[in-house]
Amino acid sequence: MSLKIYNTLSREKEPFESLEPGMVRMYVCGPTVYDSAHVGHAMSSIVFDVIRRYLEYKGYRVNHVMNYTDVDDKVIRKANELGVDPLDLAEKYIEEYDRLLESLNILPPSVKPRVSQEIDGIIELVEGLMAKGYAYEVDGDVYFRVSEDEDYGKLSRRQLEDMQAGFRFEVDERKESPMDFALWKAAKQGEPFWESPWGKGRPGWHIECSAMVLHHLGEQIDIHGGGNDLIFPHHENEIAQTESLTGKPFVRYWVHNGMLQIRGEEMSKSLGNMVTVDQFLSEHEGDVLRFLVLNASYRAPLVFTDEVVEQARRGLERLKGAFRPVASSVETDPSSQHDLIEMIQKAREGFESAMDDDFNSSAALAVLFELVRRINVARDAGVDAHTLGKAQDTLRELTRVLGLQLADKSVALLDAEPYIHLLIQVREELRNAKQFALADTIRDRLLQLGITLEDGKTGTTWKLRR
RNA sequence: GGCGACGUGGCCAAGUGGUAAGGCAAGGGUCUGCAAAACCCUCAUUCCCGGGUUCAAAUCCCGGCGUCGCCUCCA
C-alpha cells in the first residue's frame, strides 16, 4: 500500500513521493500571534500533527516547520491599543500557543521561526525579486508585479480578470495593478521597523513564509499546509514569489484543512462565537478535540457544537474501555484467542489502508472500533491476559499514531494498583456474604477517588474516571 | 458579480461506477443483589431536488435549490 495525498494544486489525490527518499520537508502556516488561539487553530495544528505522526509511522523522518507571524498589522494595532511593545505582545501569545500544543499532545515542530528573526532573509528575497524584474518600489513600499508571473492564480484557480471584476475595496493608485501585493511596507508612525535598501519598513504578509521555507527547508519542499482560507491570497502569493525567484516548482503537495464551524458559521471574533482552546481544555481533555477532528475528513468543514463534543467524549470513552484488564477469569475459550490474534493483524492492515488514502482518519477509527469490539468480546469470553495484552498493545500503538493519549495511567496510580485489587477482593467477599451495603460503600468511595468499579461476568474490573 | 467546496439515518460521519463503514443517541434482549460496562438484535430499499449517461450511480454529466468558504487580515 502506498500513501496518497490530496493536492490542492491538482485537485486530485496523488501518490506521495518525497523529494528525498525517507525524508519529508513540511511547512505549515502557524498563527498570527495577537490573541489567544481558538479551537479552529487547534484543529489545524491537530490535522498536521496527525499527518506528521503518520508519515513518521511510515518510516519517514519529518522536518516540520511551523512559523509564528509576530510582525503584522493586527499585532501592531493591538499592541498600540494596549500601549505595549508589539514583539512583547507577540511573545506572550507565542508562549501561550506553545503551551497549547503541548496540552493537545501535538509534537513540537522541528523549527518554529518568527518573522522578526528572519528579516535579513526577507530583504534578500525582495532584492532578488527586484533584480529579476518581479518587484518594484514606490515610496518605500515594494510590490510584487503580478503581471510578470504568467501562471499566477494556478493554486486558487482564479484569473486576474475575474478578480479585478469583483473588486470592492479601495485600490492603492500607486500600484501598477490592483492585484500587485506588498512585499515590503514602509514604516508608519508608531510601527516597528527595520532598516532596508528602501528605507525603514517591515515585511508584507506573504513574503515571510517564502523566506522561512527557503531558509529552513530549501527551495523545494514536499508538503505545505494550512487552513483552506489561506489558499488565496496567501499561498497563491507564496508560489508567485518563490517560483519567480527560484524558477523551480516550490511545493509538491499543497494540503489544506477545512474550517471549523460553530452552528454553520466560521468561528471569528466579530461573530462573537469564539471558543478558545483554553476554554475548551478547562472543560474537556485534549483527546476530545482530537477525536472530534479525527472523526471527520480533515478537508471538509468541521461541525463544532456541544452535541458533537459530547459525542466525541463518549466515543473516546468506548475506545478507552478496551484497555480494561482481564478480570479474574474463570475458564478460557480458545477460539476467542484465535479470533483476537487474527483481528490484530487485520486491524493494522485496515488502519494503514485507511490512512494511506489521504489520511482518512474516520475510516481508520472505524477499524479501531472493530478492534475494540473484538477485544471486549474476547475479554468476556475469558481470553488469556497475554493475548488480550497484545491486542491492547496494537490498539495503543495505532491510537498513538493518531496522537490520542487515552487513559495513560499516572505513575502514582500504578503504585496504587495493588491496593485497589485488595479492595476489590475484600468487596468480593462482602458481596458473597450478601453484605451489599458495605460492598456498595467501597464502590462509592472509590468512585469519589476517581476509580470506577464494574462487575463483569468474570469478575470485577476497574478504570479511571475522568 | 467572480472563484471554490459541500449537501448521506435523530446527531456526527466514511464511502468517486457494482448495490449504504464506524461513533453517538434510541428501542428490545443477555449478564447482574443493585449499578455501570460489555455483548447480541433492531434502527437509510436509500444518499437535497429534477433530468441524462450506463447492464449497473450516493458515486459520472446537465439544470435547479440550499449551506459554507475565498475574492480585505484570518488555521
Side-chain angles (χ1 to χ4, degrees):
Chain A
M1 280 309 275
S2 63
L3 177 62
K4 282 189 183 151
I5 300 184
Y6 181 87
N7 189 350
T8 307
L9 192 59
S10 65
R11 310 282 155 115
E12 280 173 4
K13 287 178 192 171
E14 299 174 4
F16 179 73
E17 212 175 290
S18 60
L19 288 154
E20 189 182 318
M23 159 82 174
V24 176
R25 297 179 173 83
M26 176 163 95
Y27 183 93
V28 180
C29 285
T32 300
V33 280
Y34 73 105
D35 205 347
S36 296
H38 61 238
V39 284
H41 295 114
M43 174 197 176
S44 189
S45 287
I46 289 170
V47 164
F48 289 98
D49 181 61
V50 172
I51 288 175
R52 171 181 172 178
R53 283 172 187 267
Y54 189 64
L55 288 168
E56 288 180 345
Y57 171 80
K58 299 275 286 184
Y60 290 100
R61 198 160 66 78
V62 180
N63 195 353
H64 173 198
V65 178
M66 184 197 78
N67 72 297
Y68 281 123
T69 299
D70 61 349
V71 178
D72 162 272
D73 290 350
K74 282 191 287 193
V75 177
I76 293 167
R77 193 190 322 136
K78 176 140 184 210
N80 286 347
E81 279 169 19
L82 298 173
V84 298
D85 180 77
L87 289 180
D88 288 346
L89 180 79
E91 181 63 33
K92 178 186 155 198
Y93 289 113
I94 287 173
E95 283 172 17
E96 193 177 293
Y97 204 78
D98 281 344
R99 273 205 309 280
L100 293 180
L101 292 179
E102 200 183 330
S103 327
L104 292 168
N105 198 32
I106 289 163
L107 296 170
S110 323
V111 190
K112 290 181 285 190
R114 308 171 184 192
V115 182
S116 61
Q117 291 167 6
E118 304 277 336
I119 302 294
D120 289 349
I122 291 170
I123 290 175
E124 207 176 297
L125 213 169
V126 176
E127 284 182 311
L129 286 168
M130 286 190 82
K132 287 191 152 191
Y134 285 109
Y136 57 93
E137 188 209 335
V138 183
D139 307 331
D141 287 348
V142 180
Y143 294 97
F144 184 86
R145 186 176 275 133
V146 168
S147 60
E148 276 300 306
D149 183 26
E150 62 292 333
D151 58 4
Y152 187 78
K154 68 180 174 184
L155 181 68
S156 57
R157 310 230 161 160
R158 288 161 204 242
Q159 308 296 320
L160 279 176
E161 311 82 72
D162 294 342
M163 292 185 267
Q164 287 164 31
F167 251 52
R168 47 168 217 243
F169 52 91
E170 283 192 35
V171 176
D172 186 336
E173 292 300 332
R174 301 171 307 156
K175 293 198 289 188
E176 290 178 5
S177 156
M179 291 314 297
D180 289 352
F181 54 90
L183 299 172
W184 187 263
K185 297 176 170 182
K188 300 194 189 94
Q189 189 63 34
E191 291 184 353
F193 62 83
W194 287 263
E195 294 293 345
S196 81
W198 318 283
K200 295 173 167 52
R202 61 187 170 94
W205 176 37
H206 319 296
I207 196 72
E208 62 183 72
C209 287
S210 294
M212 291 187 223
V213 171
L214 290 172
H215 179 183
H216 297 283
L217 294 172
E219 293 185 342
Q220 295 183 282
I221 64 173
D222 297 298
I223 295 175
H224 191 129
N228 68 16
D229 53 344
L230 296 178
I231 294 172
F232 190 90
H234 187 55
H235 289 160
E236 194 70 71
N237 291 351
E238 268 188 64
I239 293 176
Q241 295 158 356
T242 314
E243 295 191 351
S244 294
L245 186 79
T246 67
K248 295 174 189 167
F250 179 36
V251 171
R252 289 175 75 93
Y253 305 90
W254 283 96
V255 179
H256 292 98
N257 65 275
M259 296 291 99
L260 183 146
Q261 290 173 353
I262 293 196
R263 287 180 294 275
E265 295 169 326
E266 181 189 4
M267 179 160 14
S268 77
K269 245 195 144 177
S270 52
L271 288 169
N273 60 5
M274 291 255 297
V275 176
T276 67
V277 181
D278 273 336
Q279 280 165 3
F280 185 88
L281 289 176
S282 70
E283 291 172 42
H284 309 278
E285 52 187 328
D287 268 356
V288 174
L289 184 59
R290 190 178 280 263
F291 185 95
L292 205 152
V293 170
L294 290 168
N295 189 42
S297 160
Y298 74 89
R299 286 193 276 129
L302 183 71
V303 176
F304 185 92
T305 60
D306 289 344
E307 188 182 7
V308 166
V309 170
E310 177 60 16
Q311 287 173 4
R313 197 186 62 73
R314 296 196 187 205
L316 208 52
E317 285 303 312
R318 180 163 168 79
L319 230 35
K320 287 180 186 175
F323 290 106
R324 269 167 305 154
V326 282
S328 47
S329 60
V330 213
E331 47 205 87
T332 57
D333 173 2
S335 73
S336 69
Q337 181 192 5
H338 177 76
D339 288 353
L340 191 55
I341 289 171
E342 195 178 56
M343 187 60 208
I344 292 172
Q345 185 58 26
K346 273 172 66 181
R348 183 180 297 277
E349 286 166 8
F351 177 86
E352 289 180 8
S353 79
M355 291 298 283
D356 274 345
D357 182 18
D358 193 34
F359 312 105
N360 189 337
S361 53
S362 86
L365 276 182
V367 172
L368 296 185
F369 275 113
E370 174 68 13
L371 176 60
V372 165
R373 213 191 91 244
R374 300 292 283 274
I375 285 174
N376 290 334
V377 169
R379 187 197 296 104
D380 281 358
V383 78
D384 61 286
H386 178 71
T387 308
L388 187 79
K390 275 174 72 175
Q392 289 172 327
D393 286 347
T394 300
L395 181 63
R396 186 174 293 110
E397 182 197 347
L398 297 179
T399 50
R400 276 187 185 156
V401 172
L402 300 176
L404 292 167
Q405 300 179 94
L406 304 180
D408 279 338
K409 289 179 199 167
S410 70
V411 175
L413 206 84
L414 281 172
D415 289 345
E417 205 163 340
Y419 306 104
I420 295 169
H421 281 297
L422 178 63
L423 283 166
I424 289 175
Q425 224 170 50
V426 171
R427 177 166 166 274
E428 191 62 37
E429 283 169 28
L430 286 169
R431 290 172 69 213
N432 288 338
K434 309 247 184 261
Q435 304 262 8
F436 295 124
L438 210 50
D440 287 351
T441 302
I442 291 176
R443 183 171 65 191
D444 294 345
R445 294 294 299 276
L446 279 173
L447 186 65
Q448 284 168 18
L449 296 170
I451 291 168
T452 306
L453 295 191
E454 290 169 355
D455 302 329
K457 207 185 287 183
T458 51
T460 300
T461 61
W462 63 277
K463 68 176 182 184
L464 262 186
R465 188 187 55 137
R466 161 82 184 161

